Amino acid sequence: MANTPDYHWPPMDKRRVMGKRISRLDGIAKSTGAAKYNSDLKPDGMLYGALLSSPYAHAKVKSVDTSAAEKLPGVTAVRVVAPAGTELQWAGAEIAYLAARTEEIANDAVRLIKVDYEVLPHLVNEEDLSKVGNRARPSGEQVTGDTEKAFQEADAIVEGNYGIPVITHCCLEPHGQTIAINGDKAEYWPSTQNVYGIAGDIGRALSIPVANVHVHMDYMGGGFGSKFPADAWGIQSAQLSKESGGKPVKLFLDRATELTIAGNRPSVFSKVKVAGKKDGTLTAWQSETWSTGGVGGGGLTAGQLFPYVFLGVPNRRLNHTAVSTNTAASRAWRAPNHPQVCYITCSALEDLAAKLNMDPLDFFVKNIGYAPEARREIYKYQFQKAAELMDWKKNWHPRGDSAQGPVKRGLGLALSTWGGAGHASTCKTTIHPDASVEVELATQDLGTGTRTMVAMIAAETFGLPLSAIKVKLGDNSYPNSGGSGGSTTIGGVTSSTRKAAVNALQKLFETVAASLSVTPDDLEAVDGRISVKGNPEKGMSFQMACQKLGVNSISEMGANVPQQAPQEGLNTGGVAGVQMADVSVDIETGIVRMNRLVAVQDCGLVVNPKTAESQVFGACIMSVCGALMEERIMDQQIGRVLNPDMEFYKLAGIGDIGEILVHMDIREENDKRGVIGLGEPCAIGGIAAIGNAVANAIGVRVQRVPLTPMRVLSALEGRTA
Amino acid sequence: MQNFEYASPTTLHDALALLASKWGETDVLAGGTDEISLMKDFLHTPKRVVNIKGVKELGGIGRTAQGLRIGATATFDELASNASIHSEYPSLHSAVMGVTSPQIRNMGTAGGDLCQRPRCWYFRRGFGLLGMQDGKSLVPNGDNRYHSIFGNGPAYFVNPSSLAPALIALGAKVKLVSPSGQRVVPLEKFFVSPQSESTRETALLPNEILTEIEVPAARGIKNATYEVRHKEALDWPLVTASVALQMSGSTVGQAHVVLGHVAPTPWVATEAQSALVGKALSPDVIEQAAKAAVAGAQPLSGNSYKVKLAIVAVKRALLEASGRA
């Protein structure tokens, strides 16, 4: 066929499935427990894996004796991963893995392993930069313009220290897998964001062809950026299976291990100085920041991204120091670096607005010219929309609620941005002679609704009801659709599905065109029929059309190629969002209660407003946790995490989140940009908005999140919080 | 957890016969909300676990001539739905509802609440009840944001009981039964601040079972509990205050003010009590009593905020009891 098929999304007013508020297809299965997660599985003959980890933050292994563990009846294999001589760099670093017939035997066996350590000095806290000694790694200064001159000419200058600590991913379903290695074949049931790619980790580690590693995952319980590689627990479980006669080995981390070693978000602490003019123009940004992402330093590089979104500020001076600590390595955490940089930026700018006696809403809008041009108008619209939903102009007051009584109310705002263009994705769509339609792609539904989105795109394209589409994902034998990170999945899978479906439909048109005495290009698929464009009477049911295939199915591929995507118009990147918070603070107890969190979020073409809103709701809840409760607490004396549990690693419950109002910014001009990822951008601004609302309520800045009673009361007393 | 022998007797007599006279040999299991975690973390490694939920005489809540009897295995859910507690002992009802998890309320028992171990994160990480490393407590130089502000050293943990402050303020006693007899102990005396790693934080002996709680009648006694909790969802209080006031006309005849989560034991605020007796419950008197409640507080490096919270908790409990809240 000579012509390139038309892959464009149907115009907004012509869509029959896309854009509708459709409940996720697996909602019932998940809420009834019928959905089986890989951590629920128990294949026949399954063995239990367990691991021994270091109690010390920094130590050299002098010896490891596994003989008693090996002799324990029921233990099938023991593997030492940190033999004598290994330098362990954090508490929780793995030393040995083993497998046993029961979970109890496995745990007993772990306790029989004897390890001698040479304990070495450690550093686990980075908040006080003066105490980190030679663990600081400055990355050099970046200067734009002339900050000194700008400070001299400023009408107002604000200096502040803002800090946001390490938090962990705390996945509800912990990291882990069940895996069976038989000869050169692997059956692998991981909890992963990377169904296709993760097979390679096992293949390489065990020297077996990747094609022989079969990955299965129908559902998963949260990753947030931390679940891409097979990890040591995956590879070692594979080895244990191999050494145990090929029996499946299951190892999912316990809660303490999950919170200690399975991923965390780098901290950022800062000293910031900003300057502005009386009219509210921001003129200079200067920041000295430091952070830790574990022993490798990590975190930000060279103070990138400051001042968040307002990168066009003419005078900037940035210094950043990575601090190496004896803590487990950080991993990508839902919008890497953005929540931290947003928090610090929006806090400092709000402080400057307060100093200038300006409503921060006016201040942010005034300076929106420093934001990338493509998004300035979107931000303006979103600020207006969010202000409307918050009744901002009525409810906002200058710093410090003057109301009687101990409960003070305040409003705060923030803004966010992200890329989120679709990743490379391939999809295979098959139309069977019985009119059933299958869509296959090796992507994964992290709980975000990917399965539902793929079905919607196919149903839209084929003019069929959702129930006619069978989506097959979560299996690496399907075409590669990449890992789910960076909010790239939705753009990728909707584009590849659209193209595969259009290609398959074209073949169906070619099959039936002659019988209708038209050319394939004259046909369209609408409401379960294949008919002639502009003449719906002339046609046949989709079912009858498929019968004409005889015994042959149609199978067509579709691919999203990121370099071509912008020209095709199916997906692009770059989004804007605005968050506003309304809080009440009891100044006698320091307790912050959420009244309302408003999120106005753009993500281009919104495939399903209902699931999109759900994703924003989830992000808002994460923001409440991050703003008010969550922090990893390290003890320098013992070098360990003090709160690797669900009682002191605090997360919000339903009574803590207040009212959450989500407005998806669905407008023709945004829709034209095609599909863009949503997972990350909506998880950025909430913390900053809540922090600003607290400052507005109580009249002073609490410098560090989470805004616990301890810090709020200290700030009110005028001490450093 | 370590393997153990499991016994599920149906009489108190049989249950007592199964206990050992040394700590660590046998553990009593009721709701299990703490015991199971202790065992999973190898903090408790009993050779035998004696489940007392099958012992009928240990359950139930009922009125007695003296007041109220709460069986040791009565659950928080039973306490929550008990009409007498709701109407006559609002301080106790409020303490029960402060455990905001239905799951914990369904499983957790009154006796278990009094006998649970401290939540100190050094204890829970395996550094012993006193949180020692190399002969030195980790708490003063460590992260002590949730630790004690009264009665510090050598123990710095806080008593975790939700019910104890209310029960002590109400004058409750506990019955402790051993194979050789029984004793009735005022709840205030039940809790002790351990002076060494080898002692426990209650007066309970290893071969004793806490069988019931006796709460005096509270008709005419104004009582209230105020918990400062960071979260609405399940969370340990940062500070609790329970008050029980016997009025004599328009002035306070007897006052009981008890703080929770501020010391290794529930903390009776005697100076606050003195500040109330003989006075009418005016806002000024309440304010003064609240400030008096923290007399002698010695906060650690990171928990001076709890002193403020204690003042607020007492003030708000008094306001509630006086009907001003």
Side-chain angles (χ1 to χ4, degrees), chain A residues 104 107-108 111 406 586 588-593 628-629 631 633-635 637-638 640-648 650-656 707-711 713-714 716-717 719, chain B residues 1-3 41-42 45 119-122 124-127 133 136-143 145-146 226 228-236 238 302-306 308-309 312 315-316:
Chain A
E104 292 78 10
N107 289 333
D108 285 348
R111 291 173 66 82
D586 185 331
E588 291 184 350
T589 62
I591 291 173
V592 179
R593 295 277 181 235
L628 303 183
M629 297 158 188
E631 61 184 310
I633 301 171
M634 300 297 306
D635 184 282
Q637 301 166 100
I638 61 173
R640 287 164 59 183
V641 184
L642 287 174
N643 59 340
D645 52 49
M646 300 302 277
E647 59 178 322
F648 293 118
K650 297 193 181 191
L651 296 172
I654 204 78
D656 297 300
L707 305 166
T708 61
M710 173 175 76
R711 297 201 180 92
L713 290 177
S714 297
L716 283 164
E717 268 189 4
R719 289 188 280 119
Chain B
M1 60 179 72
Q2 183 176 283
N3 285 336
D41 291 342
F42 290 88
T45 51
R119 309 306 308 183
C120 164
W121 44 34
Y122 297 103
R124 296 279 166 170
R125 304 268 85 76
F127 291 91
Q133 188 180 45
K136 218 175 99 194
S137 172
L138 290 161
V139 180
N141 293 320
D143 197 310
R145 68 183 75 183
Y146 300 128
Y226 190 91
V228 182
R229 282 197 319 275
H230 186 180
K231 288 164 51 175
E232 286 288 325
L234 187 67
D235 199 7
W236 297 102
L238 296 166
N303 67 6
S304 59
Y305 75 104
K306 289 183 70 171
K308 291 190 133 190
L309 295 182
V312 177
K315 182 177 83 176
R316 294 186 180 182

Side-chain angles (χ1 to χ4, degrees), chain B residues 279-304:
Chain B
K279 310 242 175 74
L281 281 174
S282 69
D284 278 355
V285 167
I286 287 173
E287 197 79 40
Q288 284 160 23
K291 282 185 182 137
V294 297
Q298 290 179 306
L300 301 165
S301 57
N303 67 6
S304 59

Side-chain angles (χ1 to χ4, degrees), chain A residues 116 128 132 164 174 179 192 220 228 235 256 282 336 362 479 539 564 618 636:
Chain A
D116 275 337
D128 186 345
V132 307
I164 183 165
I179 188 164
T192 184
M220 72 93 80
F228 288 94
I235 290 165
L282 174 67
D362 301 333
Q564 297 166 10
Q636 175 59 27

Side-chain angles (χ1 to χ4, degrees), chain A residues 149-198:
Chain A
K149 185 160 174 275
F151 284 123
Q152 278 161 18
E153 294 171 359
D155 293 324
I157 293 173
V158 159
E159 291 181 68
N161 303 331
Y162 313 95
I164 183 165
V166 171
I167 65 176
T168 84
H169 295 72
C170 200
C171 303
L172 191 55
E173 178 184 51
H175 287 65
Q177 69 293 306
T178 300
I179 188 164
I181 305 291
N182 280 290
D184 66 351
K185 291 192 169 56
E187 292 296 320
Y188 186 18
W189 298 269
S191 180
T192 184
Q193 297 175 239
N194 189 17
V195 159
Y196 193 91
I198 199 171

Side-chain angles (χ1 to χ4, degrees), chain A residues 202-431:
Chain A
I202 297 299
R204 279 187 297 278
L206 280 89
S207 302
I208 56 179
V210 173
N212 291 1
V213 180
H214 193 179
V215 180
H216 318 254
M217 191 192 71
D218 288 334
Y219 305 98
M220 72 93 80
F224 315 110
S226 68
K227 285 184 179 167
F228 288 94
D231 281 311
W233 41 84
I235 290 165
Q236 293 306 320
S237 293
Q239 299 285 12
L240 289 167
S241 168
K242 190 176 170 185
E243 292 172 20
S244 305
K247 286 185 174 171
V249 172
K250 178 178 189 172
L251 200 174
F252 279 81
L253 303 183
D254 62 25
R255 185 52 55 186
T257 310
E258 174 74 14
L259 266 70
T260 303
I261 65 171
N264 62 73
R265 184 181 82 183
S267 60
V268 184
F269 296 93
S270 67
K271 287 180 188 164
V272 178
K273 189 174 173 186
V274 285
K277 291 290 192 187
K278 251 183 252 161
D279 67 352
T281 306
L282 174 67
T283 54
W285 173 278
Q286 177 176 303
S287 57
E288 189 188 323
T289 51
W290 64 99
S291 69
T292 192
V295 78
L300 299 169
T301 49
Q304 56 182 315
L305 294 171
F306 282 111
Y308 191 59
V309 176
F310 300 96
L311 290 168
V313 169
N315 306 299
R316 297 193 297 162
R317 182 182 295 271
L318 312 176
N319 276 285
H320 182 73
T321 301
V323 181
S324 159
T325 55
N326 297 99
T327 57
S330 66
R331 297 185 175 198
W333 198 105
R334 200 170 180 179
N337 294 329
H338 282 238
Q340 303 98 307
V341 176
C342 173
Y343 167 70
I344 290 169
T345 301
C346 293
S347 299
L349 296 189
E350 211 269 354
D351 283 351
L352 182 60
K355 183 130 190 202
L356 289 164
N357 293 315
M358 265 184 98
D359 179 337
L361 178 58
D362 301 333
F363 178 88
F364 275 61
V365 171
K366 167 103 190 162
N367 289 290
I368 208 67
Y370 292 139
E373 192 176 353
R375 285 187 284 284
R376 288 173 198 162
E377 291 307 314
I378 304 178
Y379 281 126
K380 278 191 201 168
Y381 172 86
Q382 292 182 340
F383 273 122
Q384 193 187 346
K385 188 75 205 170
E388 217 175 281
L389 293 168
M390 191 55 103
D391 212 349
W392 179 278
K393 283 292 171 188
K394 177 170 162 270
N395 291 323
W396 184 84
H397 54 72
R399 273 225 176 151
D401 183 1
S402 54
Q404 290 295 302
V407 177
K408 309 296 182 191
R409 187 175 166 192
L411 303 187
L413 56 76
L415 78 180
S416 56
T417 186
W418 188 254
H423 58 34
S425 166
T426 48
C427 172
K428 180 172 140 188
T429 296
T430 302
I431 305 172

